[in-house]
Amino acid sequence: MNCKIGIFDSGIGGFSILGELKRVLPNENFLYYKDSKNNPYGEKTEQELFHITSAIVEYLKIRGCRIIVIACNTATTRCIKKLRMVYPELIFVGTVPAIKIACDGGFQNTIIMATPSTIESERISELIKGNKKESQKFYLLPCKGLAHLIELQKQEQIESLLLKLFSPYQNKKIDSIILGCTHYSLIKKEISKIFCHATLIDGTKGVAQEVKHQMKLNNLEMARNKQEIKVVTSKI
Ligand code: DGL
């Protein structure tokens, strides 16, 4: 396959981004690396993550991908800088918690759900500092174990973990929730059941638009009239 856009995540989370990419780039080929074997990324050290993600980048690179979409907030906040340094010949588009969208939207009380690793990353504080207005409050919520349950599709356990995670916020007038892990975009319905008045925000559309922009900027667009999508899975 003459592939150009490589995508990866620790499993099914990045499918939300792949879905949007398919829509905005109907003439491109995609190769998705679904790294279920190494899920959860969010509970690994930065060294472990760099080791894993650079092996995936190699895999995608030798299959002809020039642009790589890190469809994972954890891998982006922890590894994108180093990956860009090690692979200057590739274009990387990352995914970060959509804090800017929440700030621009004027939300006052926002929960940021993300993996423990993303929550502890410097990038989160940079994004809050760089975008927050005085009156806006952010509650950082590390959701240990949640991405793994979503990967394994353990419905009942997902719902009871959500109840436990959200219980301290029931009287905080939460008006928005940032889904700072791509796996969480797959459980919007379950989250809305608990916070039915909060707006759920993810970075899916922004990532797809950035990929489109980079394709144009780097002259990578193809004049094909069909789309090929291939998904490879690391062994569980
Ligand atoms: N989907 C990933 C993210 O956006 C990571 C989930 C995990 O493996 O912990 O952060």
Side-chain angles (χ1 to χ4, degrees):
M1 173 166 112
N2 174 20
C3 149
K4 272 220 319 260
I5 304 181
I7 310 173
F8 72 90
D9 179 41
S10 63
I12 58 179
F15 282 160
S16 46
I17 290 180
L18 178 64
E20 186 62 17
L21 282 168
K22 277 159 50 178
R23 204 179 63 77
V24 301
L25 293 164
N27 302 323
E28 302 300 336
N29 289 347
F30 298 92
L31 175 55
Y32 185 102
Y33 192 97
K34 181 169 159 280
D35 190 15
S36 307
K37 189 177 116 194
N38 288 306
N39 180 288
Y41 280 5
E43 288 153 47
K44 294 201 159 38
T45 65
E46 201 161 303
Q47 284 90 326
E48 284 172 318
L49 268 184
F50 183 72
H51 181 74
I52 292 166
T53 55
S54 50
I56 298 173
V57 169
E58 288 288 344
Y59 178 96
L60 296 171
K61 182 183 150 180
I62 58 176
R63 282 161 183 80
C65 300
R66 293 244 0 246
I67 178 157
I68 300 206
V69 183
I70 308 181
C72 172
N73 295 261
T74 311
T76 303
T77 52
R78 292 291 175 174
C79 302
I80 198 168
K81 275 193 192 149
K82 206 159 164 200
L83 288 170
R84 282 185 171 135
M85 263 158 45
V86 176
Y87 300 97
E89 70 282 19
L90 299 176
I91 299 151
F92 289 95
V93 176
T95 310
V96 291
I99 292 167
K100 185 173 184 335
I101 300 181
C103 291
D104 294 350
F107 293 103
Q108 292 304 305
N109 292 294
T110 301
I111 293 177
I112 305 177
M113 296 175 72
T115 66
S117 176
T118 301
I119 292 289
E120 283 158 24
S121 71
E122 253 174 56
R123 192 73 187 108
I124 283 271
S125 16
E126 281 168 13
L127 285 164
I128 296 176
K129 242 202 208 144
N131 294 289
K132 178 183 157 351
K133 286 159 206 87
E134 184 108 21
S135 62
Q136 295 178 312
K137 283 201 186 71
F138 285 93
Y139 301 98
L140 295 172
L141 179 57
C143 302
K144 188 167 186 308
L146 185 57
H148 197 56
L149 291 176
I150 297 168
E151 185 65 23
L152 301 175
Q153 302 183 27
K154 301 274 187 201
Q155 192 60 27
E156 267 178 38
Q157 293 176 48
I158 291 169
E159 291 185 25
S160 60
L161 181 55
L162 282 177
L163 280 173
K164 197 168 134 202
L165 289 168
F166 287 151
S167 69
Y169 303 97
Q170 290 301 344
N171 56 2
K172 298 252 189 274
K173 297 195 174 129
I174 297 301
D175 53 7
S176 74
I177 300 177
I178 295 174
L179 310 176
C181 163
T182 50
H183 278 74
Y184 307 161
S185 298
L186 306 174
I187 55 157
K188 284 184 179 167
K189 223 174 55 205
E190 291 77 359
I191 295 172
S192 288
K193 252 198 230 166
I194 304 173
F195 278 108
C196 51
H197 299 299
T199 301
L200 305 189
I201 304 171
D202 66 23
T204 305
K205 286 203 160 61
V207 172
Q209 286 307 325
E210 179 59 16
V211 175
K212 192 174 177 180
H213 171 70
Q214 290 296 334
M215 295 290 288
K216 207 177 200 140
L217 195 72
N218 294 283
N219 232 350
L220 292 172
E221 288 168 309
M222 294 296 270
R224 294 190 199 97
N225 53 9
K226 72 178 181 84
Q227 187 176 63
E228 276 179 46
I229 296 149
K230 191 175 170 194
V231 178
V232 288
T233 311
S234 59
K235 301 278 171 292
I236 298 182

